[in-house]
Amino acid sequence: MTQTCGVQSVCLGVTLQLILAALLHQGFATVAPPTTASPHKEPGRPDRGDYLVAGTNGTTCLRASMGLQLNVSFSSASLNKTLQEVVNLQPNMTKTSGSCEADSASLKLSTDADKTVLTFFFTLNTTSNKYHLNEVSLSANWPDMKEPFSGHNNSLDYLHGTFGFSYMCREEQTLDVTQDLSINTFQLQVQPFGLNGGQFGAAEECQLDEDDMLIPIIVGAALAALVLIVLLAYLIGRKRSHAGYQTI
Ligand SMILES: *[C@@H]1O[C@H](CO)[C@@H](O)[C@H](O)[C@H]1NC(C)=O
Ligand SMILES: *[C@@H]1O[C@H](CO)[C@@H](O)[C@H](O)[C@H]1NC(C)=O
Ligand SMILES: *[C@@H]1O[C@H](CO)[C@@H](O)[C@H](O)[C@H]1NC(C)=O
């Protein structure tokens, strides 16, 4: 932008830059970063499963709809080095079990012959009526593992929700469990407490989703500002020409 530009065009320039920045940000956010070279092929997006746990009276007491991807590093038996493997959990080959107590609930997902057993533990603070995911454990016995994998952490603090509400995160979210284990969740909606007839309560959205919704708001605001500036410029221009000023 050069000095000779009038006030109106400087304003226009700034607004256009804002819009461009917002659009570019969105572009980068939706384009997946290139994956680093790895001996194993990365799986695509995991299928979304609908996992239900029934309470003692037979009604659903915990429900989780999500796509799950496990990211595990382990010692390879054949290559004699550490491998990083990314594996999708396949809903149609996964058995669901679990438990529901007054202030704790668990969801256990296991595959054929228990080659993979993944368990989520939630706790409810009955004073504040808030729940969260506090523990995850994974045991896996996959081909080429030198020894069965076991990963466990009981001091986690993820998926915060309120009793009677569900926690939702449409965006991909990574739950770091241990140094050797992380879990990527996709299109997640979960409710470990206070379901009503097996249905999710109103959703509380994660920060990632809220950030995503911010972009259209910023673009909209910038466009509105642009329209206002053009309108003002037009009105000022009209007033000036009425007053008999010469426009350059
Ligand atoms: C798997 O974990 C490793 C190490 O934390 C990380 O570098 C890699 O990006 C992860 N891959 C995926 C697909 O999440
Ligand atoms: C439960 O929530 C209350 C109120 O926020 C807090 O004071 C208390 O420490 C929490 N209890 C646990 C076990 O986290
Ligand atoms: C468990 O998770 C906590 C919180 O993310 C982390 O600080 C801790 O290092 C983890 N423990 C293990 C054994 O990885």
Side-chain angles (χ1 to χ4, degrees):
M1 200 78 30
T2 55
Q3 281 291 325
T4 52
C5 284
V7 174
Q8 293 150 228
S9 30
V10 170
C11 287
L12 273 177
V14 169
T15 315
L16 283 172
Q17 268 173 353
L18 260 176
I19 295 171
L20 264 179
L23 287 175
L24 279 175
H25 174 81
Q26 189 166 34
F28 283 130
T30 47
V31 171
T35 46
T36 47
S38 135
H40 286 265
K41 211 173 150 282
E42 302 262 316
R45 219 180 148 85
D47 288 335
R48 192 171 190 233
D50 193 20
Y51 306 108
L52 307 173
V53 176
T56 42
N57 59 1
T59 59
T60 300
C61 59
L62 181 156
R63 182 170 179 184
S65 297
M66 56 191 169
L68 288 171
Q69 193 169 64
L70 305 173
N71 187 347
V72 180
S73 77
F74 60 88
S75 302
S76 152
S78 64
L79 298 170
N80 210 19
K81 63 167 187 176
T82 303
L83 281 187
Q84 188 88 42
E85 192 130 29
V86 178
V87 173
N88 287 348
L89 210 70
Q90 296 188 303
N92 57 0
M93 292 166 71
T94 304
K95 278 184 303 182
T96 311
S97 59
S99 66
C100 299
E101 310 291 334
D103 60 358
S104 67
S106 68
L107 170 68
K108 181 174 167 184
L109 303 173
S110 43
T111 63
D112 180 42
D114 286 350
K115 286 201 185 78
T116 306
V117 181
L118 173 65
T119 316
F120 297 92
F121 297 90
F122 297 88
T123 56
L124 174 72
N125 181 330
T126 47
T127 312
S128 62
N129 264 338
K130 300 281 182 190
Y131 63 80
H132 71 277
L133 175 73
N134 70 305
E135 181 172 351
V136 168
S137 80
L138 173 75
S139 59
N141 195 353
W142 298 344
D144 200 29
M145 277 183 169
K146 206 171 221 168
E147 56 201 16
F149 177 91
S150 172
H152 174 245
N153 192 335
N154 63 3
S155 51
L156 301 176
D157 195 14
Y158 296 121
L159 317 185
H160 290 253
T162 308
F163 183 88
F165 292 82
S166 59
Y167 172 90
M168 183 186 258
C169 205
R170 292 178 235 261
E171 287 288 298
E172 176 179 354
Q173 190 179 18
T174 301
L175 311 176
D176 290 313
V177 180
T178 67
Q179 202 140 44
D180 298 331
L181 169 65
S182 64
I183 300 170
N184 300 324
T185 69
F186 298 78
Q187 290 251 301
L188 169 89
Q189 187 170 16
V190 64
Q191 188 172 340
F193 301 99
L195 276 113
N196 189 357
Q199 299 303 309
F200 284 125
E204 295 175 334
E205 295 246 0
C206 64
Q207 191 62 48
L208 286 167
D209 287 359
E210 281 176 7
D211 290 349
D212 236 32
M213 282 190 283
L214 215 61
I215 293 159
I217 292 171
I218 291 170
V219 172
L223 283 175
L226 186 68
V227 168
L228 210 72
I229 287 160
V230 169
L231 199 72
L232 277 175
Y234 169 73
L235 289 175
I236 290 167
R238 237 170 59 134
K239 204 175 154 196
R240 273 189 185 170
S241 52
H242 272 295
Y245 285 114
Q246 203 71 48
T247 41
I248 307 153

